[in-house]
Amino acid sequence: RFAAERALALQPDLPEAHRAMANVLYRNRDYTGALAEAAIAQKSQPNNVDLISLVGYIERRQGKWDDDIANFRKAAELNPGSGLSAYDLGETYKNTRRYREAFEALHHGIEIAPDEPDSYVILIAAELDSTGDPNRSRAVLHRALERMSPSRFVGTFHPGTYVIAPDSEPARRFETQPLADFGSDTNGYYFSRAERFRMTGRGPEAQARYDTARVFVERKLRQLPDDYGFHVRLARIYSRLGSLEKALRQARRALEVPPPSRDAYFVVDNIRPQTQT
């Protein structure tokens, strides 16, 4: 924020400075302010793909799905060689349950960037969400694992355990992942491992890892008590540990921290019932 404010003080008309401030406001969940800054930058850079995509990211947080899709379509048209633009469009189509368009965009994203995990991961979820049949999702997973190691999936993304666990070969490969693959997401490492143990009937091993994940998430929430993502994670962990009252309290807290209307993307991605959870 300091750097963006300084840039605007030095050169108030600089579109890059307004774009920087738009990013700052977006990350601080001031979506109205972020759109205003992006609009200033777009006056002189109407076809800047990064700006168009940023507006799309903001609008999907606001639940403006039609505007969001229009921006991601424009970004994909302006930058047809970008796997990221195809992924953004495909993910938004998936989140709005427009599966035919999602499949088209995501397959295109894989054609453009076959060695990147983004489109594969969302296609795995779209196949599962649209039919409830994990076999098509597993076919996508096998196709992805021909191009990259499981470590490429983790961090930002991870395929659903429901897809991985019953399939021995991918399960073995994912289960041997080191903690280092998850970067700073230690609780994600233990939770994903617990889920695979649970899905393959290894209850005691799963419970031990859920409890370890609980310790890390509770520590995060002491540092960031208003982070609704961590409240959702803790709700899931408590539910797996059988502490249903605690799970419900955390789930309610996730909805209260901001109201769902302030972050539609989070609600669709985490709270709407999904087959794989």
Side-chain angles (χ1 to χ4, degrees):
R1 181 185 291 271
F2 174 81
E5 288 173 347
R6 181 64 178 150
L8 286 169
L10 291 169
Q11 198 167 341
D13 295 329
L14 186 68
E16 290 80 4
H18 287 284
R19 188 177 77 188
M21 182 56 77
N23 266 298
V24 169
L25 296 173
Y26 167 57
R27 298 297 178 182
N28 281 278
R29 301 182 180 132
D30 178 359
Y31 303 131
T32 301
L35 281 178
E37 289 292 332
I40 295 170
Q42 284 189 306
K43 289 178 181 178
S44 57
Q45 296 183 346
N47 292 323
N48 183 299
V49 172
D50 290 337
L51 266 172
I52 294 167
S53 297
L54 175 60
V55 172
Y57 298 144
I58 298 166
E59 288 174 338
R60 71 182 180 186
R61 296 282 180 178
Q62 296 179 311
K64 299 176 181 177
W65 299 109
D66 290 340
D67 293 337
D68 173 28
I69 288 172
N71 275 293
F72 286 140
R73 287 181 63 180
K74 184 177 180 180
E77 290 166 1
L78 290 169
N79 195 10
S82 169
L84 177 60
S85 293
Y87 154 78
D88 285 334
L89 182 58
E91 184 188 26
T92 305
Y93 279 137
K94 180 195 81 74
N95 285 344
T96 54
R97 305 186 186 188
R98 293 171 59 173
Y99 294 114
R100 183 182 61 78
E101 294 101 322
F103 294 146
E104 181 179 340
L106 293 167
H107 281 295
H108 181 57
I110 290 171
E111 290 175 8
I112 295 170
D115 298 319
E116 295 296 328
D118 305 29
S119 292
Y120 290 104
V121 176
I122 300 302
L123 182 57
I124 287 169
E127 291 282 11
L128 193 59
D129 284 357
S130 63
T131 66
D133 180 0
N135 292 317
R136 291 172 66 93
S137 295
R138 289 193 194 113
V140 178
L141 177 61
H142 278 277
R143 180 181 173 190
L145 291 176
E146 292 173 358
R147 305 295 303 234
M148 66 196 76
S149 69
S151 64
R152 293 292 303 281
F153 282 98
V154 302
T156 304
F157 305 112
H158 205 284
T161 305
Y162 189 64
V163 175
I164 298 170
D167 196 333
S168 59
E169 196 277 329
R172 179 189 60 77
R173 292 183 65 182
F174 277 93
E175 282 182 17
T176 57
Q177 285 180 269
L179 175 59
D181 279 357
F182 286 72
S184 62
D185 190 15
T186 306
N187 65 79
Y189 168 78
Y190 285 106
F191 183 80
S192 64
R193 184 151 293 198
E195 289 281 270
R196 288 194 289 278
F197 284 140
R198 181 180 68 88
M199 291 288 295
T200 51
R202 291 173 282 178
E205 294 170 278
Q207 290 293 295
R209 285 156 182 81
Y210 284 130
D211 201 52
T212 302
R214 174 191 61 78
V215 171
F216 282 102
V217 178
E218 287 177 343
R219 184 182 302 167
K220 284 287 189 182
L221 278 171
R222 286 194 291 271
Q223 299 167 351
L224 301 166
D226 292 333
D227 190 300
Y228 43 93
F230 284 122
H231 284 290
V232 168
R233 288 192 181 198
L234 191 55
R236 288 174 175 161
I237 292 168
Y238 279 146
S239 71
R240 297 293 195 252
L241 289 170
S243 301
L244 297 184
E245 285 300 320
K246 289 183 177 180
L248 286 170
R249 282 200 297 271
Q250 291 298 323
R252 292 189 186 103
R253 181 63 178 149
L255 288 169
E256 292 166 357
V257 174
S261 61
R262 280 191 55 196
D263 196 339
Y265 176 69
F266 172 81
V267 173
V268 166
D269 215 36
N270 290 276
I271 298 174
R272 187 190 76 194
Q274 294 183 1
T275 307
Q276 64 263 45
T277 56

